[in-house]
Amino acid sequence: MDGQSTKRVPLWRSLRVKYAITYLTLIAAVLVLLNTYPVRTSQQMVFQTKQVSLQSQAALMASALAGPDGLSAEGVARVMEVLGDTGLSRVLVTGASGEVLYDSDPAGNTLGKYILIVEVVQALRGEDFFRSDYTDGVFHSRSAAPVTYRGMTIGAVYAAEYDAEQGRLLVGLQQTLQRISAAVAVGALLLSLVFSSALTRRLGQLLAAFRTVREGEYSHRVKMSGRDEVSRLAGEFNELTGRLQTTEEVRRRFVSDASHELKTPLASIRLLTDSILQTENMDPGTVREFVGDIGEEAERLQRITEKLLTLTRLDAGAPHETVPVEVSRVARRVEHMLSPLARAGEIHLSLELEEGLFIEGSEDDLYQILFNLVENAIKYNLPGGQVTLRTRGEVDKVILSVEDTGVGIPEEDIGKVFDRFYRVDKARSRAAGGTGLGLSIVRDTVRRYGGTVEAQRREGEGTRFVVTFPRLDTGKEAGQA
Ligand code: ADP
């Protein structure tokens, strides 16, 4: 895992290369199409116009020659003269056996000779012929038509044309397309380089940030502009790192607070044992007193460690089974358990319960929550004070409140009392056997069952803790419980 993330990605596997290859392949495909399709189509169009014009010219000459005395050398010469300049590169007229009667190119030296080229042979068979090629920027087209008189083929007309003009246009088109393609290819290459290196740079930044945070530097954040997926990823990463940082800070504080809390009773125990050991002939009464103190400190250590264990279990979020729990039953158990403590502190503890309220949870956990709240209400109260535990049902929730007329919590501390080891009055808490963990356990347990807890300052004096749980639909569940 370690090696995997620190090694550089080989170039051929890198996103950058994959991205560039895809991009360039697409562009290449488009360019190949751009360089073939329009040229082919234009060529085809030229062939078609050539066919139409050349065939009609050949047919026109053939029909002009068809006549009773059409195919004598003089007759042909006369007709050709009348027809004037055809614009063709070569015109041949042959008799029925293929002997040349007229040649527009005197240098060809074909007059009187038999010319049995495929075009003429096909025309002498009575069929039209056309063929056109495009080579080296020139359109070379040939056409032949039979000369018929009274249903008989009496000769053939052969017409050829070299068209370099159209060829030039086509070559021009081809060159323009090639220039455009070259420009597009260079542009695409540059763009793909720019984009892919930007992408790699940003991903690299993100990877480096992952590494830094992995090394334990939780305060590190990635700065990334833009609103694309990579920026979103960076945002999520920063958020996650922020949470990690908070969790880490909480953990560190917890460990340091816990060690501190454990250190104090341990130091007292050391001091007391040292005194006993170092004082010779200590009178038995003092020894008893010291050993009693040691016992108290040990008890305190036990309380703290038990609560720490409870919190660790809650942190781990161990799987828990839930059952329908009847709230008033648990409230009565708590009152029963704590009324001696209330009596000892001259505090009046009363219940105001709505019957038939159920929540989904565990009876022990609900007991623990109410016990902690009511115990605090008694501990931080004054002689003659009042503590009231109320339960009330709403459509979809159950509200439990513990009210007291005690010392109260100052405004600035009210939000912090649920923090681990937080105590408003350390001395008082310590004297009452407090650990500063009770309310943290309450909050974590309440949350575990989807509830909320909040501390409120009461008008006048005292405090009110309000716990809300989702209400369990009664009926069936009530019957089972
Ligand atoms: P402790 O073990 O110290 O009681 P808790 O987590 O239960 O720890 O409570 C944290 C602190 O909140 C207490 O030390 C006390 O200062 C304050 N507190 C809790 N409940 C009350 C209350 N009902 N009235 C006044 N202060 C309270």
Side-chain angles (χ1 to χ4, degrees), residues 272-286:
L272 290 162
T273 48
D274 283 354
S275 319
I276 297 173
L277 290 174
Q278 282 161 15
T279 318
E280 274 177 32
N281 303 326
M282 190 181 261
D283 73 284
T286 318

Side-chain angles (χ1 to χ4, degrees), residues 316-351:
H320 54 288
E321 276 184 17
T322 57
V323 288
V325 178
E326 192 180 2
V327 177
S328 56
R329 216 169 76 125
V330 180
R332 276 193 203 96
R333 269 181 63 204
V334 171
E335 185 231 16
H336 182 73
M337 200 65 188
L338 285 172
S339 44
L341 183 70
R343 262 198 306 279
E346 293 170 41
I347 284 145
H348 184 245
L349 172 59
S350 63
L351 297 182

